[in-house]
Amino acid sequence: MSRTLRVAAIHDISAFGRCSTTVVLPVLSAMGVQCCPLLTASLSAHTAFPASEHSTMLDLTGEMERIAAHWAELGVVFNAVYSGFLASEAQIEIIFRFYERFCTPDTFVLVDPVMGDHGKPYRTCTPALCQAMGRLASRANLITPNLTEAALLLKEPYASAPAGQAQAEEWLSRLSLDGRRSVVLTGLSFQSGIVGAGCLDAQSGQIDFAMVKREPAQFPGTGDLFASVLLGALLQGERLPDANRRAVNFVALCVRHTLAAGTPPVEGVDFEPLLGRLIQGLS
Ligand code: PXL
């Protein structure tokens, strides 16, 4: 008999643009994992679209505690708690209380420290929120920063981000807090035309890289797609280097498909037609 795998997914919902919950939920479902969204905010569209007089962001901080209290009353048990985009510093304390309530030593804590990209924090991510995100990440079993977020966590300038394997290994090991947590560092490139992610597995202490051909475009939401496939694979029992390779390959597949489809990059990757690959484990 198969057992239920269940994740509490603490992300915003951006109704248009394919990121956070509109990516996390279908990916985890396709991978056989029940996803329970604990929404941090509701946005009309993600923040890569320019802010306008009509763009909306409803902060859901007040709802989070109430929802968690109901889940506690229902006795809900989670295999993993996976957080991403947060709308306010206050949400960090709520997530710490969520861990106290729901985490046992077997609960896997993934913190994707969603703070920025391309060397800049997102417009919603204040310095205080970045600071608090670092505290939250210190509680994680696994973090999945991109280079911008890694620089923020390490308090290093983005310009000093690793351009070679030795330096990437050094950042991975610093980000692991002396091997106390696993790390997957995304957006690494050691030679032109090649991009991928490096991982440090806290259990084995081993470092591994998964690299693919770089495609000539950038898409919002690929970090969420990456981390969701990674978590789904880990919950299916894959080891971190294999899960990392699977996530890198699936994102690359979606990027190639989207470029061929020619949809506007700001709308994110056209992953929906490829979800079947995750179901069959073919990615
Ligand atoms: O993909 C990360 C993300 C999540 N949520 C919102 C975002 C972004 C990135 O732009 O804007 C609202």
Side-chain angles (χ1 to χ4, degrees):
M1 199 174 73
S2 68
R3 71 198 166 101
T4 301
L5 291 168
R6 186 182 296 127
V7 169
I10 310 177
H11 297 260
D12 70 285
I13 185 154
S14 288
F16 186 62
R18 293 199 192 92
C19 71
S20 47
T21 299
T22 62
V23 171
V24 174
L25 201 157
V27 166
L28 288 176
S29 299
M31 297 183 83
V33 177
Q34 182 189 0
C35 175
C36 304
L38 182 60
L39 298 178
T40 59
S42 166
L43 290 84
S44 50
H46 62 54
T47 62
F49 289 99
S52 83
E53 59 171 320
H54 291 120
S55 55
T56 72
M57 174 164 159
L58 178 66
D59 183 326
L60 293 173
T61 306
E63 281 297 285
M64 292 172 71
E65 273 280 348
R66 289 154 45 86
I67 290 167
H70 190 203
W71 288 355
E73 181 189 272
L74 296 174
V76 186
V77 172
F78 298 103
N79 301 89
V81 180
Y82 164 27
S83 64
F85 178 96
L86 306 181
S88 70
E89 248 177 285
Q91 294 185 347
I92 304 277
E93 298 313 320
I94 293 173
I95 298 171
F96 274 121
R97 277 203 295 282
F98 191 92
Y99 293 157
E100 275 168 27
R101 257 183 171 142
F102 292 97
C103 286
T104 69
D106 294 332
T107 315
F108 189 76
V109 174
L110 167 54
V111 173
D112 186 3
V114 174
M115 294 187 280
D117 208 355
H118 313 297
K120 287 199 288 264
Y122 297 129
R123 61 175 138 83
T124 51
C125 198
T126 60
L129 181 52
C130 288
Q131 186 82 21
M133 190 68 93
R135 279 200 301 119
L136 188 70
S138 68
R139 173 68 178 71
N141 298 109
L142 169 66
I143 60 169
T144 51
N146 60 30
L147 291 178
T148 304
E149 292 151 353
L152 287 166
L153 290 172
L154 294 175
K155 299 187 171 31
E156 293 283 359
Y158 177 67
S160 70
Q165 187 167 325
Q167 213 192 348
E169 289 180 10
E170 190 207 313
W171 273 39
L172 280 166
S173 118
R174 285 174 62 196
L175 286 163
S176 78
L177 305 176
D178 292 325
R180 271 182 284 131
R181 66 182 176 197
S182 295
V183 181
V184 177
L185 182 54
T186 63
L188 287 171
S189 180
F190 308 140
Q191 48 176 306
S192 89
I194 306 283
V195 69
C199 62
L200 186 154
D201 187 345
Q203 263 165 19
S204 66
Q206 284 187 341
I207 289 181
D208 198 72
F209 295 93
M211 308 303 280
V212 288
K213 188 167 149 293
R214 186 197 284 278
E215 299 296 339
Q218 303 271 0
F219 298 90
T222 47
D224 301 319
L225 184 63
F226 178 90
S228 304
V229 175
L230 184 81
L231 179 61
L234 289 171
L235 290 172
Q236 287 175 353
E238 282 184 28
R239 288 165 39 82
L240 187 63
D242 298 325
N244 183 40
R245 191 154 293 112
R246 187 149 172 219
V248 166
N249 287 340
F250 188 72
V251 172
L253 182 73
C254 292
V255 165
R256 286 196 300 274
H257 169 83
T258 307
L259 283 171
T263 52
V266 73
E267 293 180 15
V269 286
D270 185 25
F271 69 93
E272 292 90 348
L274 298 166
L275 279 173
R277 308 282 187 108
L278 294 174
I279 296 172
Q280 291 141 26
L282 296 176
S283 56

